[in-house]
Amino acid sequence: MSNATTVHEPPYYAVIFTSKMGTGEDEGYGTMAEQMVALASNQKGFLGIDNVQDGKLGIMVSYWDSIEAIQQWREHTAHKVAKQKGKNEWYKGYSLKICKVEKNYSFEKE
Amino acid sequence: MSNATTVHEPPYYAVIFTSKMGTGEDEGYGTMAEQMVALASNQKGFLGIDNVQDGKLGIMVSYWDSIEAIQQWREHTAHKVAKQKGKNEWYKGYSLKICKVEKNYSFEKE
């Protein structure tokens, strides 16, 4: 699942989702986040996802083979419901950046 | 410094650095990482940086106004030294993705 050391043949697309968590209850957040990752993984055009949280800030980067695949995922009903719940309950703020990956490199120890 | 809820006028560029930490000593890593963030912030064309680590996986995304600014940062001597030290001592593996940000959105609670 992780792309930490995985690269694909460019061009492909990345969605950088950066979020600041609120200070309130985060009940249900972990479960919802896991469900969204599982759901995204089954979408057409999905290439991979990396997700790191430190309790205050989160960065989730998902990779896709086309802009159309990203658009379909953004329109997915369950994803829309989760997004609204995130705005209402969990996030203090977030940004979403849709990017074309032009070059990539990787390094892995044997 | 954080771009968690900051967006710029596209197009601009993002460097997604995803790393898997080794299991050995991480002596000096935090200090070096802070130095690199401070150094990057003073580079021409630097727009911002977000960095999250959970001890196993790290995602650092830096934003730049041009490909040339990224290239200059990659050629910076201190950055090269840190990269080599990272390969030798800290990272089990990493990937680096150079991306053009085409669209972005943000949400922030008042």
Side-chain angles (χ1 to χ4, degrees), chain A residues 18-38:
Chain A
T18 320
S19 56
K20 286 198 279 195
M21 301 302 284
T23 48
E25 292 288 322
D26 63 352
E27 201 178 336
Y29 179 74
T31 308
M32 179 67 94
E34 279 173 28
Q35 283 173 352
M36 285 305 111
V37 168

Side-chain angles (χ1 to χ4, degrees), chain A residues 38-57:
Chain A
L39 205 58
S41 309
N42 287 318
Q43 292 290 295
K44 191 169 173 288
F46 175 85
L47 298 176
I49 195 163
D50 285 311
N51 185 29
V52 184
Q53 296 267 351
D54 69 6
K56 289 184 175 176
L57 186 67

Side-chain angles (χ1 to χ4, degrees), chain B residues 26-53:
Chain B
D26 64 351
E27 200 178 336
Y29 179 74
T31 309
M32 179 67 94
E34 279 172 27
Q35 283 173 352
M36 286 305 112
V37 168
L39 205 59
S41 309
N42 287 320
Q43 292 291 295
K44 190 168 174 286
F46 175 86
L47 298 176
I49 196 163
D50 285 312
N51 185 27
V52 184
Q53 296 267 350

